[in-house]
Amino acid sequence: MDTLQTTLAAALTDRYTIERTLGRGGMATVFLARDLKHDRPVALKVLHPELASALGPERFQREIQFAARLQHPHICTVHDSGVVPGEVTKAPIYWFTMPYVEGESLRDRMTREGQLPLEDALGIALEAAEALDYAHRHGVVHRDVKPENILLTGKHALVADFGIARALAGDGPPGRAGVGLTETGMAVGTPAYMSPEQASGERELDARTDVYALGSVLYEMLAGEAPFTGPTVQAVLAKRLATDPTPLGVVRSGLPAGVAPVVSKAMARSPADRYPTAAALATELEAALRVARRSSTAATATTGSGPGAARPFRASAALFLVGLLVGLGVLFAWRRHAGSASAGAPSGEIRLAVLPFENLGDSSDAYFADGMTDEIRAKLASLPGLLVTASRSAAEYRHSSKSTREIANELGVDYLLVGKVRWDKGGGVGSQVRVSPELIQVTSGAGATTRWEDAFDATLTNVFKVQSDIAGRVAQALNLALGQTEQQELTARPTQNLAAYDAYLHARGTGVRTTSLSAAETRRAIEYYQRAVALDSGFVQAWSELSRVHSGLYYVSASREDSAAAASAAERALTIDPKYPGGYLAKGEYYNFVVSDWPAALGQFAKGRKLAPRDADLLAGTAFAQFSSGRWEEALTSLQEAQRLDPRSTLTAQRLTRTLTWLRRYPEAEQAADRSLALTPLDPGAIEDRAIVPLAAGDLNAARAVVRTASKGVDPIALVSYIAVYWDLYWLLDDDQQALLLRIPRTQFDNDIGWALACAQTYDLRGDPRRAKASADTAVMVGEQAVRAAPNDAQSKALLGLAYAYAGRRSDAIRLGEQAVAMTPFSQDAYSAPYYMHLLARVYVRAGQPEKALDLLEQLIRVPYYLSPGWLRIDPEWKPLQGNPRFERLVK
């Protein structure tokens, strides 16, 4: 052990154990250490003495603290920092800690492989650009972007050492204002990647210096060598100031045409000629990555799916996102080995439901009572011999007027745990919490009796102990034998940071109190989760749920930011605790909703089910991957099992209804739809699902009767706008509802193109071609903007194709529709592909090409999908095909 390590180990003995040296770079020596407080490995970095001597502690701490506030999926954040005072003859030791990333640096990989595969290089550069853009928008310029500072974990990149170079190039220590390291003869940055203005000693550097450095890194990933080399640092800097690097096309042939210009522009010698922001560079990198992926797809005759590949599905996306986010609002508190069930319990196991605890305080404190409920439920679910009803089913009884016997019968349980929570805020840790739980036994003979009840008072700092005590007392009342492992599960804390826990509960509460989350509410939940993980980077539950929300948002928006955030958060959760089933749920949903990689999703869900074999959400996710890969009967089995475990889950009920409908098992689909509608009678999606069953049977009047009957109490504007947009069922609406639809303002719709297309189709149906054309032109304008923003999004192209068809632009309509179908073949996605084929068939009809439309319809009738012969008979879209012998054979 050298002197530096010995000194540091002695100074930090109560906080860190230094295990070994990881390496030495241009600015710091890096040690592998263990954070004793959080029991986690960290990378502990110590600035070299010659650098530390030019800094003052105030400046160092100020900049490091600023960097520590950067929280982004592709930024390796700062955990901790400090200064060990130096002796009279020695400089102080400046140190900081960052997460220890399992994997390797980009430098390690480049040393091993030389040139990187094109898609890998572009993907790494894209994620680094996103990280840089985030930092720049928060006032931080990195100044030392290089392969050593880009860490690779799994398939993703993390940029490290933000703010360090900024501190070193700053104003200098007290008493030496205006003196930075660049003025003491010490260059800040790495010569091989340093921008010309940085190399020439300019102090006012902006985002474009990082753009240049990242361009240099990308050049080296593709070329296998740095853009500038020389025998000395001075020689390298001289070349950088006076010459351009060897063109990429010379050192690596076969690159797509758009790649080299991106690198060249990023590395322009004049900052004015570069991309003005890292965001602009990221946009170009994403476009280049799409081209590379398409080239790879064409070369292998398969369709790949990566983090940037969108998988939206217009109608189902909104429904599934609603279900997903409702689930996120009430199912967060996981524990190792946690499982849940409410029906089909093995003999001898006790069945229990934990109902939402009643909030007796201010309504703004409801989130805290919900968090208390979920944490106690999760602790009980970890106990052997006890089957705990899933949270979604239990949450249905919030403020219910039903008797305990009715609730117990509906949930199929023997016991109910109810409770009341009052939180008297005294400010900070002095806040007082009173929790009054009651365990109720429900039997067929004696009715409902109280088995145990008590009251617990504690300060906020002891809230976790209260949760553990309540779970332990319930277990005792039920005569459950607890071993050492079970006792440890009961006393486990989700986090040691109360502020992080409060932010986490706020995020959960955003979903609990709403039936359908708006984009604004969802983003607010994300902000709370981000705050939670910023306060405690080891908070595994918060990382998992952050990933799930981002995946759900990506599914309907195809946002690159959500894609990256979902992947990174899921990876963080699994790295923190590979035995936490929620991490596998998050990763599986990422593969489901972002990447469309069904085998990978099934693999993640299978790992989660080994830890939580009776978890309904893992089963529902499994079903999604199964029917998306064309394994419909397996999906049906998974959903039926999920419903037995979580009998009042609206998400499972909706998926089960749709699966049975697509399998054309209409009597069973009708029963499932009735069940779904009973659970959510005010949900327009559940109403539409129920109406689709008679439509498939060819009975329009019966379907309209379903809408009229079920719509009592539902906002008519919300119902009409929903049905007109999702599944394009504007023709299901009766005359009065269609007239209402055309009076509804744009602001009542979820998106512009949905509103414009609904109006165009309805005007066309009602024989008003002038207004239909005007609405279609609006849809075209909006759709073209969407395609420009996401050119690799099949849904955007399919909808624009339909808009072109109603606007009379036949060739454009066919071109876009065929592109959407080609982008989503059955082999890739058996769930979305039929929908895009359906839209293209409609385009062909309106373009006067009936035989091509019939080619597609004949395929759709043979695969699981909601179209049926009965449907084709009553859908006005197919009226031009009536009398065609092929069509008449099809509908019979």
Side-chain angles (χ1 to χ4, degrees), residues 210-329:
D210 284 348
V211 168
Y212 184 97
L214 182 56
S216 299
V217 172
L218 178 55
Y219 181 102
E220 186 171 352
M221 284 193 283
L222 295 172
E225 59 184 35
F228 297 101
T229 58
T232 65
V233 170
Q234 291 74 16
V236 172
L237 295 181
K239 283 185 179 181
R240 185 174 299 276
L241 291 168
T243 64
D244 293 323
T246 304
L248 258 180
V250 174
V251 293
R252 181 164 177 175
S253 60
L255 292 175
V259 173
V262 173
V263 180
S264 178
K265 184 172 181 178
M267 294 184 62
R269 273 184 280 167
S270 171
D273 294 332
R274 291 178 213 147
Y275 294 104
T277 64
L281 173 59
T283 299
E284 293 297 311
L285 288 170
E286 185 178 32
L289 184 57
R290 284 195 297 267
V291 172
R293 284 176 174 155
R294 283 198 296 270
S295 299
S296 175
T297 297
T300 59
T302 60
T303 17
S305 55
R311 189 204 172 276
F313 186 30
R314 182 182 177 206
S316 64
L319 291 177
F320 279 12
L321 180 58
V322 167
L324 172 67
L325 296 180
V326 169
L328 293 179

Side-chain angles (χ1 to χ4, degrees), residues 122-199:
L122 292 173
I124 291 168
L126 172 60
E127 292 180 345
E130 291 171 343
L132 291 171
D133 173 57
Y134 174 87
H136 296 161
R137 286 187 281 110
H138 288 77
V140 177
V141 179
H142 193 291
R143 303 171 187 245
D144 195 23
V145 177
K146 58 184 178 181
E148 288 81 356
N149 282 336
I150 298 177
L151 309 179
L152 306 180
T153 173
K155 297 181 179 179
H156 299 286
L158 294 171
V159 182
D161 284 1
F162 269 98
I164 309 309
R166 172 189 168 119
L168 296 175
D171 294 335
R176 297 176 62 193
V179 180
L181 295 187
T182 55
E183 297 183 25
T184 63
M186 300 174 64
V188 176
T190 303
Y193 312 98
M194 195 183 293
S195 68
E197 64 270 24
Q198 190 174 356

Side-chain angles (χ1 to χ4, degrees), residues 710-768:
S711 63
K712 296 175 182 178
V714 180
D715 178 2
I717 291 178
L719 178 65
V720 166
S721 59
Y722 186 95
I723 290 177
V725 171
Y726 297 110
W727 302 108
D728 297 314
L729 291 183
Y730 61 95
W731 54 277
L732 169 59
L733 303 174
D734 62 26
D735 187 71
D736 290 340
Q737 290 169 330
Q738 291 175 17
L740 172 62
L741 168 68
L742 298 174
R743 296 196 301 270
I744 298 174
R746 151 71 192 96
T747 54
Q748 297 295 314
F749 288 78
D750 287 342
N751 55 74
D752 290 323
I753 194 167
W755 161 72
L757 272 174
C759 290
Q761 294 171 114
T762 305
Y763 279 127
D764 183 77
L765 180 67
R766 294 167 70 86
D768 191 339

Side-chain angles (χ1 to χ4, degrees), residues 328-345:
L328 293 179
V330 295
L331 183 63
F332 288 96
W334 286 71
R335 279 295 179 269
R336 293 182 183 180
H337 316 302
S340 58
S342 56

Side-chain angles (χ1 to χ4, degrees), residues 90-146:
K90 294 182 179 180
I93 299 174
Y94 288 57
W95 63 269
F96 57 96
T97 63
M98 309 181 82
Y100 174 65
V101 177
E102 294 285 352
E104 62 182 349
S105 71
L106 177 57
R107 169 62 65 208
D108 295 331
R109 182 173 178 188
M110 290 165 61
T111 299
R112 186 177 67 252
E113 298 182 18
Q115 293 181 341
L116 267 57
L118 175 61
E119 289 185 43
D120 289 1
L122 292 173
I124 291 168
L126 172 60
E127 292 180 345
E130 291 171 343
L132 291 171
D133 173 57
Y134 174 87
H136 296 161
R137 286 187 281 110
H138 288 77
V140 177
V141 179
H142 193 291
R143 303 171 187 245
D144 195 23
V145 177
K146 58 184 178 181

